[in-house]
Amino acid sequence: MIRLEKIYKKFGRLEVLKGVDLNVEKGEVVVIIGPSGAGKSTLLRCINLLERPTSGRVIFEGIDITGMDGRAVDKIRERIGMVFQHINLFNHLTAIDNVTLAPMKVKGLSKSEAEHIARSLLERMGLGDKLYSYPSQLSGGQRQRVAIARALAMQPDIMLFDEPTSALDPEMIKEVLDVMKALVNDGMTMVIVTHEMGFAKEVASRIIFMDDGCIIEEGTPKEIFSNPKEERTAMFLSKILY
Amino acid sequence: MTNESFFPFLVGILPHLGKGALMTIELTIISVGIGVVIGIFGGIARVSRNPILLIPSTIYVEVIRGTPLLAQLFLVYFGLPSLGINLPPFTAAVIAMGINSGAYVTEIFRGGIQSIERGQMEAARSLGLSYLQAMRYIILPQAFKRILPPLGNEFIAMLKDSSLASTIAIAELMRVGREITSRTFRSFEVLAVVALLYLAITLPLSLLVRYTERRMSISD
């Protein structure tokens, strides 16, 4: 579904990605782990071109989208949902308006169609009683679940999660991970950057370990967690697993 | 008439000054209105990375803010006729003042747009909204709330600066005051009343600005 070929990304003189190749098949759940500064988020943001690779190719369903701009990129982004570490709910809109905005303005759905979808999504997220709350009236975990509903409302083919629980209080992490787990069970294709190793172990079809702008190692959760081949992977895991 | 005591004199001139004050308010509302329309587009242009938008809008802001409003006003009213463009005083005044206000409002919008966290734009774009849709539905509504206080300040500043329009024969508050002065020779009393009338309009406004500022700092 998604293929990244030799992705390089430089910010000024800082080289954040150094020739990364990545393939994501339909139905896969790919979890990217690694120390901060490894380039995980940047890689994720290259998939929907929020970040433009300095060189390399991004291929979505067989089409090279790297050089696309304007309307063409918007069209691709409709099909790639994204959830952010800093949540980024639209602060001036209620929960339901956050979810209905893009289906109405981008897909041209009527208000009642969009609200029908939004209502059932928010109910699925356990937020049926928060439809008309503003982001400032919601907890971090509730906000992130609204953000997931907002992305899902576009009925994307794939979902990108950029450290979705890193900015949350500890007691709210589980409610967000539970919602993500439900998505995995529905067969959603997902790419997840996270530090939640227990969650990664449980849901990943493939784990990718990144360090210093490169993919160091990839494999099944079992291979990576129980039997890492690379020393750097082993060292990283020994530091973060108790 | 010149020996009349102050209060009967004041009662006599107030209706004229009142009319002048209304003209001042009208002039200011129209000018700042033009300024806001220019400012929305100017502000978007000023945060653009496209040089075709960025460079002209930057030049506009710098030229207007770096030259006196009086010079701009004279250029439009006395300068344009030599190019064959004759404008009535009121039209000339709102054009000059509107363009002038537009430069300040552009900077107000630029600041407002830039004060919205980058994540809002990214979230909007990730959903497939175009840059302009994201501006219109996500960034500007949030920015607009934040710029209300500085916009109020711009209105107050323009209200005072509109006194310059007295120089091109517009019967606004300042002009009416000077006309009464030249008829009655009671300069100090008349001009003091004129000044107080300006204050009577700006003071409630600046209190309102301060109130909205305070309320917003609580809600944010």
Side-chain angles (χ1 to χ4, degrees):
Chain A
M1 172 170 277
I2 290 204
R3 203 163 77 239
L4 303 179
E5 293 178 355
K6 300 237 169 339
I7 299 292
Y8 286 82
K9 177 67 187 179
K10 282 184 195 162
F11 293 108
R13 285 169 58 191
L14 183 68
E15 196 165 44
V16 180
L17 296 176
K18 302 171 179 171
V20 176
D21 294 295
L22 175 68
N23 219 333
V24 181
E25 299 297 337
K26 191 169 163 50
E28 257 194 312
V29 177
V30 175
V31 175
I32 306 175
I33 62 171
S36 39
K40 309 182 295 291
S41 292
T42 307
L43 183 69
L44 197 70
R45 293 158 57 85
C46 281
I47 294 177
N48 63 355
L49 298 180
L50 275 188
E51 224 59 84
R52 296 277 176 167
T54 310
S55 70
R57 301 205 301 160
V58 182
I59 292 157
F60 180 71
E61 306 238 294
I63 305 162
D64 187 346
I65 63 170
T66 328
M68 281 186 178
D69 51 11
R71 195 71 203 107
V73 169
D74 297 338
K75 275 275 167 218
I76 298 292
R77 288 192 182 128
E78 284 178 37
R79 300 169 58 190
I80 307 177
M82 188 162 199
V83 175
F84 300 86
Q85 178 182 355
H86 297 293
I87 305 174
N88 300 336
L89 279 190
F90 305 135
N91 299 313
H92 62 305
L93 299 177
T94 59
I96 192 163
D97 287 344
N98 262 278
V99 181
T100 57
L101 182 99
M104 286 167 64
K105 302 303 176 194
V106 176
K107 281 190 165 173
L109 261 56
S110 73
K111 195 176 164 67
S112 66
E113 286 171 312
E115 283 191 346
H116 180 74
I117 294 171
R119 218 175 271 271
S120 75
L121 275 172
L122 286 168
E123 271 160 21
R124 237 173 77 196
M125 301 288 145
L127 295 166
D129 55 338
K130 301 287 180 192
L131 299 182
Y132 301 102
S133 301
Y134 283 91
S136 59
Q137 299 164 321
L138 299 172
S139 72
Q142 291 169 335
R143 284 208 294 272
Q144 193 59 294
R145 282 182 285 150
V146 174
I148 293 171
R150 176 177 70 178
L152 288 174
M154 292 300 284
Q155 294 166 321
D157 300 327
I158 178 171
M159 287 282 287
L160 310 177
F161 291 85
D162 186 5
E163 302 197 28
T165 58
S166 295
L168 299 181
D169 291 337
E171 74 270 23
M172 294 172 182
I173 292 177
K174 189 172 176 299
E175 64 190 56
V176 172
L177 295 182
D178 281 344
V179 163
M180 291 169 64
K181 219 179 287 177
L183 276 180
V184 173
N185 291 333
D186 289 349
M188 175 63 81
T189 311
M190 296 159 74
V191 183
I192 305 167
V193 173
T194 187
H195 293 294
E196 297 294 330
M197 293 303 149
F199 176 74
K201 217 183 260 184
E202 193 180 334
V203 304
S205 38
R206 190 149 48 102
I207 304 248
I208 289 179
F209 173 69
M210 279 184 78
D211 193 8
D212 197 24
C214 301
I215 291 180
I216 306 298
E217 183 172 357
E218 58 178 288
T220 64
K222 211 171 163 192
E223 287 167 348
I224 298 287
F225 285 110
S226 319
N227 197 9
K229 290 192 200 67
E230 299 290 329
E231 197 180 329
R232 268 201 276 182
T233 317
M235 250 177 55
F236 173 73
L237 290 172
S238 74
K239 274 186 208 153
I240 59 158
L241 295 176
Y242 301 100
Chain B
M1 184 170 179
T2 46
N3 295 323
E4 204 176 355
S5 64
F6 179 66
F7 283 103
F9 174 67
L10 180 66
V11 170
I13 63 170
L14 259 186
H16 302 285
L17 290 175
K19 254 191 229 163
L22 282 180
M23 175 57 94
T24 288
I25 291 171
E26 188 184 339
L27 208 53
T28 308
I29 289 177
I30 296 176
S31 301
V32 176
I34 294 171
V36 168
V37 174
I38 295 176
I40 291 174
F41 294 104
I44 292 175
R46 286 276 284 147
V47 298
S48 165
R49 269 176 300 180
N50 184 342
I52 296 168
L53 295 174
L54 180 60
I55 293 172
S57 58
T58 306
I59 292 173
Y60 163 66
V61 167
E62 293 305 331
V63 167
I64 295 297
R65 293 201 309 179
T67 54
L69 174 57
L70 189 60
Q72 295 160 14
L73 198 61
F74 279 13
L75 204 63
V76 172
Y77 186 63
F78 298 115
L80 287 184
S82 64
L83 301 176
I85 304 168
N86 287 288
L87 296 169
F90 186 81
T91 312
V94 294
I95 287 176
M97 289 165 57
I99 290 175
N100 179 278
S101 181
Y104 291 91
V105 179
T106 290
E107 286 303 272
I108 291 173
F109 266 96
R110 181 189 58 75
I113 291 168
Q114 285 176 337
S115 78
I116 305 299
E117 312 81 83
R118 211 172 59 135
Q120 296 283 309
M121 176 58 92
E122 290 188 342
R125 297 308 303 277
S126 79
L127 290 163
L129 271 78
S130 69
Y131 180 80
L132 286 179
Q133 279 181 319
M135 269 291 169
R136 176 168 162 202
Y137 298 115
I138 307 301
I139 308 298
L140 286 177
Q142 296 185 63
F144 205 78
K145 231 177 85 184
R146 288 193 197 174
I147 68 176
L148 276 179
L151 219 48
N153 287 330
E154 164 61 15
F155 189 87
I156 291 166
M158 191 41 84
L159 192 114
K160 292 181 290 173
D161 286 348
S162 72
S163 58
L164 292 171
S166 65
T167 57
I168 61 169
I170 291 175
E172 46 67 75
L173 183 52
M174 191 68 215
R175 176 84 176 196
V176 173
R178 279 174 49 202
E179 276 165 1
I180 295 171
T181 306
S182 63
R183 254 190 301 121
T184 62
F185 303 107
R186 296 172 71 156
S187 306
F188 184 80
E189 291 156 284
V190 174
L191 292 175
V193 171
V194 164
L196 282 174
L197 281 174
Y198 275 108
L199 189 65
I201 308 170
T202 56
L203 199 57
L205 277 173
S206 65
L207 290 176
L208 186 70
V209 166
R210 217 170 303 162
Y211 172 75
T212 51
E213 254 171 1
R214 231 193 357 242
R215 265 199 38 185
M216 238 177 281
S217 68
I218 295 167
S219 81
D220 271 356

